[in-house]
Amino acid sequence: MKLIAVLFLFTTLLAAQTGESWYGVLEVPGQQLPLNLELTESSGSLQSPGQSLQRIPFSTLKRTVDSLFFTVNALQLSYAGKYASDSVIGTFQQATFTTQLIFYREPPAGYAVDTSTAPAARPQEPTDFPYVREAITFPGGEDSVTLAGELTLPTDTLPKALLIFVSGSGPQDRNEDLGPAINHRPFLVLSDYLTRRGYGVLRYDDRGIGESTGDFGAATSADFAQDARAALRYLRDQAQFSKVPIGILGHSEGGMIAPMVAVEDSVNFLVLLAAPGIPIDSLLLDQQRAISGTIAPDESVRRAAYRYAKLHAMQSDTAFVGGLMDTILQLIPSLSTEVRKSIVEPEDFAASYVSGLSSPWMRYFLAFDPADYLERVTVPVLAINGELDRQVTIGNLAAVGAALERAGNEEVTLVAVPGVNHLMQPAETGSPGEYGEIEVTIDPQVLEAIVSWLDARYL
C-alpha cells in the first residue's frame, strides 16, 4: 500500500483569496510537506507549495471561536484542530493515515521550499535503451477510459515472455513515480532490467493519470483490475505475440489485483511483489503498528471503523456515512483520557474518519480479502516480500502461500528477502521515512530472483 507521496494530484486551480494565512509542515512517511492554508469567513483552500502552485478548495469548512475543521473529499482528507494563541493544533487524516499537524501564523522551521532544481536521476535508472520502445494507447476497462503507456521489447527477436506491470495504491504513472521527495521510479528500473534480458514489458499510466483518460478518484480496485484485463486483451490481440507467454507483475495493491485478473482471464504466470495476503482491514492495522512501532491511541476507533466499512460497504452513501458516524460517536466515551481531551468537537472527530473511509476505492478496499482470489489461482506464481517491509509485513507472504496451497497450486515460489523494504530497496529499518534517502531503487537480489524464476520457465 503506497502511503502519501504526492498529496495533491487532484487539484483545481483556485486564486488565492484575501484572508488569514496559516503555515504548517506535514510529516508523512519519507518526506516533509510544507502546507499553506488560506481562510476567509466562509471558505478556504490548501496548497502544498513544494508540489504545486495550484490551490485546492475545501469541500467543507467549519469554524468556531476555538476550533477549525475542514475536508477535501477528492483526497479523502480532513483536519480537525483547536486554536491556541498563535497556532492551530490538530489532527490531519488522509484515508487511513493520521498524524498531528500544527499550523502557525508564520512559516515554521522546515517550511522553506526549493523548487529551483529537479531531483537527480537515481543510479539504476537507464541512460541508454538498447531495445525497442513503443508508445501505445489502448481502450481501458470501461468506455470512458483510454490507457497510455509504453511497450518495451528486445530488438530483432520475440520476447521470451511478456509482463504487464500493475502498480500499487494511489495515482501512479507508468514508471510508478513516487514523487519528488522520494524520487524513485521502480517500474522504470524493473522494466529496463527485464527487457535487457529478453523479456517484453507493458506498463501504463493509471486511468486519469499522465496520458491516460478517465476518473481515478471514482475508481476502485475492481476498476483497476478491469484496466489490467484491458492491457492483457491488447497484447493478446497482437498477432506477433500469439505464442508468447503473458503474465502479470503486480506491486503492493497491484499484487492484489493480479490474482483478480488471473482467475477470470488466461494468463501464464504471476509475479507478486509485496502482495497482500491477509484481509485488508487487518493489514492496515498491522501496517500502522509496524510503522509507528506501537499501538495508536485511537486504534479502537480505527478497528471499529474498518469493521463497519467492511460489513456495510454496499450500503448507499447516506446510510454508510450515517452509520459510520454513529459507530465512532458511540466509541468516544470509552477512549483514553488523552484522546478525549484532544477532541474539540465530537462530530468533527467522527467526520475526520468518515471523510477518509467513504470513497468508493476505500470502501471496496477495506472489504477485500485477497484469499478470495488467491485460493483460485492455479498458474505459476512467484511471490516476493521484503523482511523489513512495514507496509505489507512479511507475514503476508506466508498467507499468500497458504491461500495458493488451498488452491492446489503446485508451482508456487515464495521468496523472503532479508534487509529489503516495501519498495524492494536495501534498507536499514524498513521505515517509509528511509525511502527517499536510499539511492538504490530495487535491490539487485530482487531483480535477479525475478529473472532467474522467469528464465527457469521461458528460456
Side-chain angles (χ1 to χ4, degrees):
M1 309 302 112
K2 179 189 172 192
L3 294 180
I4 304 167
V6 179
L7 188 63
F8 303 125
L9 286 177
F10 307 112
T11 56
T12 300
L13 190 61
L14 185 73
Q17 303 174 60
T18 302
E20 302 174 28
S21 294
W22 295 84
Y23 305 88
V25 178
L26 178 66
E27 300 276 351
V28 299
Q31 59 191 304
Q32 292 183 318
L33 294 178
L35 299 182
N36 164 242
L37 299 183
E38 291 289 340
L39 300 176
T40 66
E41 189 63 33
S42 59
S43 64
S45 65
L46 187 61
Q47 182 191 43
S48 177
Q51 297 177 304
S52 174
L53 296 178
Q54 296 185 46
R55 308 195 63 84
I56 185 166
F58 298 155
S59 301
T60 59
L61 171 65
K62 179 180 176 182
R63 303 177 71 185
T64 67
V65 172
D66 60 355
S67 68
L68 169 68
F69 175 77
F70 63 82
T71 66
V72 179
N73 294 341
L75 297 175
Q76 305 171 49
L77 181 158
S78 64
Y79 180 79
K82 185 175 182 178
Y83 284 105
S85 58
D86 63 346
S87 62
V88 185
I89 302 171
T91 300
F92 172 96
Q93 178 150 338
Q94 186 175 23
T96 62
F97 173 74
T98 305
T99 191
Q100 185 185 67
L101 175 60
I102 303 176
F103 286 102
Y104 300 89
R105 289 288 191 181
E106 301 294 334
Y111 186 86
V113 179
D114 180 8
T115 58
S116 59
T117 58
R122 297 294 191 175
Q124 286 178 305
E125 292 187 11
T127 57
D128 66 314
F129 301 90
Y131 46 78
V132 175
R133 301 173 65 197
E134 181 182 348
I136 59 170
T137 60
F138 54 95
E142 59 182 283
D143 292 343
S144 62
V145 176
T146 298
L147 298 174
E150 183 173 84
L151 179 62
T152 56
L153 300 166
T155 304
D156 298 329
T157 184
L158 283 174
K160 293 182 282 188
L162 289 160
L163 293 93
I164 298 166
F165 283 11
V166 182
S167 64
S169 301
Q172 306 273 0
D173 69 7
R174 67 195 70 181
N175 295 328
E176 206 179 34
D177 192 321
L178 299 174
I182 294 178
N183 188 30
H184 279 287
R185 286 149 287 278
F187 275 8
L188 175 62
V189 170
L190 185 53
S191 65
D192 177 74
Y193 189 87
L194 289 170
T195 308
R196 288 173 186 265
R197 284 151 184 81
Y199 295 93
V201 176
L202 188 161
R203 63 193 202 283
Y204 55 91
D205 302 332
D206 289 347
R207 61 168 67 189
I209 305 303
E211 298 177 17
S212 293
T213 67
D215 184 352
F216 181 91
T220 69
S221 300
D223 297 312
F224 298 133
Q226 292 293 349
D227 289 342
R229 290 186 180 99
L232 179 63
R233 286 194 299 272
Y234 172 81
L235 291 180
R236 292 290 187 205
D237 288 344
Q238 309 303 309
Q240 70 267 34
F241 301 141
S242 61
K243 296 183 179 179
V244 177
I246 302 176
I248 299 176
L249 180 149
H251 175 231
S252 198
E253 185 190 2
M256 179 182 103
I257 289 169
M260 297 171 68
V261 179
V263 300
E264 295 187 14
D265 294 88
S266 176
V267 300
N268 297 100
F269 62 91
L270 298 179
V271 177
L272 309 180
L273 305 180
I278 64 175
I280 299 301
D281 59 327
S282 297
L283 184 149
L284 290 176
L285 291 170
D286 187 41
Q287 178 187 98
Q288 289 150 9
R289 294 187 206 107
I291 290 174
S292 67
T294 186
I295 295 176
D298 66 342
E299 179 163 312
S300 62
V301 178
R302 294 171 186 268
R303 187 182 298 278
Y306 293 172
R307 179 169 177 78
Y308 183 91
K310 181 175 184 174
L311 294 176
H312 302 282
M314 301 307 294
Q315 282 184 324
S316 69
D317 291 347
T318 300
F320 181 88
V321 168
L324 185 53
M325 283 284 291
D326 290 343
T327 297
I328 297 170
L329 288 170
Q330 290 168 12
L331 274 175
I332 291 177
S334 66
L335 298 177
S336 69
T337 302
E338 174 191 3
V339 174
R340 292 201 311 274
K341 284 184 177 179
S342 70
I343 298 172
V344 180
E345 294 285 346
E347 291 282 342
D348 293 347
F349 175 81
S352 67
Y353 287 89
V354 172
S355 174
L357 300 180
S358 296
S359 73
W361 178 83
M362 183 57 74
R363 288 168 65 172
Y364 184 93
F365 194 58
L366 281 167
F368 194 88
D369 185 347
D372 291 343
Y373 290 91
L374 289 166
E375 290 175 350
R376 296 151 60 194
V377 172
T378 56
V379 298
V381 176
L382 169 64
I384 301 177
N385 227 106
E387 290 185 354
L388 293 181
D389 192 334
R390 294 196 186 187
Q391 291 185 235
V392 180
T393 56
I394 190 64
N396 281 272
L397 184 63
V400 168
L404 291 168
E405 184 177 357
R406 292 193 294 272
N409 193 326
E410 298 180 355
E411 293 192 69
V412 177
T413 303
L414 306 179
V415 181
V417 188
V420 165
N421 64 19
H422 183 66
L423 300 186
M424 302 291 151
Q425 299 171 291
E428 292 291 329
T429 69
S431 168
E434 294 179 332
Y435 294 166
E437 300 172 2
I438 301 169
E439 284 295 301
V440 176
T441 300
I442 303 179
D443 193 302
Q445 61 185 323
V446 174
L447 296 171
E448 180 56 33
I450 296 170
V451 168
S452 295
W453 187 84
L454 290 169
D455 282 349
R457 286 157 180 78
Y458 303 117
L459 270 180

